[in-house]
Every structure is written in C-alpha cells, then in structure tokens.
Amino acid sequence: MDTLFFHPKLVHLPVALGVLMPLITTGLLIAWWRKWLPARSWVIALILQAMLLGSGIMGMRSGEAEEERVEEIVSEHLIEEHEEAAEAFVWGSGIVLALMLVAFVAANKKAGLPLAAVATLGTLVVFGLGYRTGQAGGELVYRHGAATAYVVSASGGNEPKHKHDEAKED
C-alpha cells in the first residue's frame, strides 16, 4: 500500500461529507416533512453519515500511524491539537449517526421527524468540528511544514528536515 501521504488521501472524504451533510440532511428533512419523499428516504442520510464516521475513523488511524514521522518536523503539541480536534469530529459524527438511526427507526412515529431535525442540527455542529480539524491539519502542513517529513531528496531517499536543523540555518 502506498503510505506516502496516505493520511491526506483519506481525510478528504470525511471533510467533504462534513460540509455536505447539513445541506443533504436539510433537503431530506424538508422532503420528508412536505411528504415529497417517504420517511424511509432518511436512510440516505444514515448511510452518508456512516460513511463520514467510518472514513473519519480511518483518517484518525492513519494520522496516528504517521504521527512519529511528522513529530520530527512539527512540535508535538501542534499535532495533539489536530488529533484532539479530529477526535471531537469523529465523536460528534458518531453521536449524529446515533440520532439519525433513532430517527430512522422512529420514522413512522410522531418522534421521527423531530429527531431527524435534531440530527440535522447536529450535522452543523459536526461541520464546525470538521472545519476546526481541517484548519489545524492545514496549519501543520502549510504553516509548520509537516509535509517536509515526506520530501524525497535528489539521492532518492526520504530525508526529513528535523526541528533542530532550523536552528542551524539561522
């Protein structure tokens, strides 16, 4: 498996779904409320949220696998900030998935639609958590140079620039 930049390859799906889910769930909620679609169409939100959660978990695990390498370049506390944001994003995604599941199970009952509305509001929270996670990850790469852990030298070997090398350059 190609491990070079594996984490960035994985995290784009949960980030994209984090942005899209408020729009998708709002559309499904309105269609359910107006009876344009049957209540069982809420399964679309459920499946997409499950994909968000699953890909978020995979993104976290891949980040943990690459953490040691990037710590050679970036301060550990910055990586931990990103990791904590990712954990909140994944936990939030799981909670929203649970709400969506309960709404789906109760779809033909009086509580189904209000539960779906709460889950839809939850997708906005997850969007915010995803934004915070992506921002912290972007800062690691673009401000703090985390990607240099994967720079290949002219000799063909990976030669990461170490944090202590910066002091020599000054």
Side-chain angles (χ1 to χ4, degrees):
M1 181 183 297
D2 178 21
T3 59
L4 185 62
F5 292 116
F6 188 58
H7 179 69
K9 290 174 184 175
L10 284 176
V11 298
H12 286 91
L13 180 60
V15 169
L17 284 171
V19 170
L20 293 172
M21 286 306 291
L23 301 170
I24 293 167
T25 56
T26 299
L28 287 169
L29 184 67
I30 291 169
W32 177 0
W33 174 57
R34 301 287 234 159
K35 299 191 183 348
W36 297 335
L37 290 174
R40 70 178 179 268
S41 63
W42 187 250
V43 73
I44 296 167
L46 193 61
I47 291 168
L48 291 172
Q49 189 69 23
M51 289 174 59
L52 191 162
L53 177 61
S55 61
I57 290 169
M58 288 173 51
M60 268 185 24
R61 289 195 177 170
S62 68
E64 290 167 358
E66 296 184 28
E67 183 175 1
E68 294 296 319
R69 186 173 194 169
V70 175
E71 277 181 356
E72 294 178 9
I73 309 298
V74 179
S75 172
E76 186 177 347
H77 86 276
L78 294 170
I79 295 170
E80 285 176 6
E81 253 180 53
H82 176 53
E83 185 177 2
E84 289 170 7
E87 287 171 0
F89 175 65
V90 168
W91 275 103
S93 299
I95 291 167
V96 170
L97 178 61
L99 285 168
M100 287 179 173
L101 182 59
V102 172
F104 181 71
V105 169
N108 294 321
K109 297 181 177 87
K110 191 174 182 177
L113 196 58
L115 284 168
V118 171
T120 298
L121 291 174
T123 64
L124 291 170
V125 173
V126 170
F127 168 75
L129 294 170
Y131 180 84
R132 191 179 93 185
T133 303
Q135 185 176 25
E139 285 183 9
L140 288 176
V141 173
Y142 298 109
R143 181 179 288 170
H144 302 290
T148 60
Y150 299 95
V151 171
V152 178
S153 71
S155 65
N158 280 353
E159 294 179 6
K161 180 178 174 183
H162 298 283
K163 286 183 277 192
H164 64 283
D165 289 344
E166 292 175 5
K168 292 178 188 175
E169 291 178 358
D170 293 335

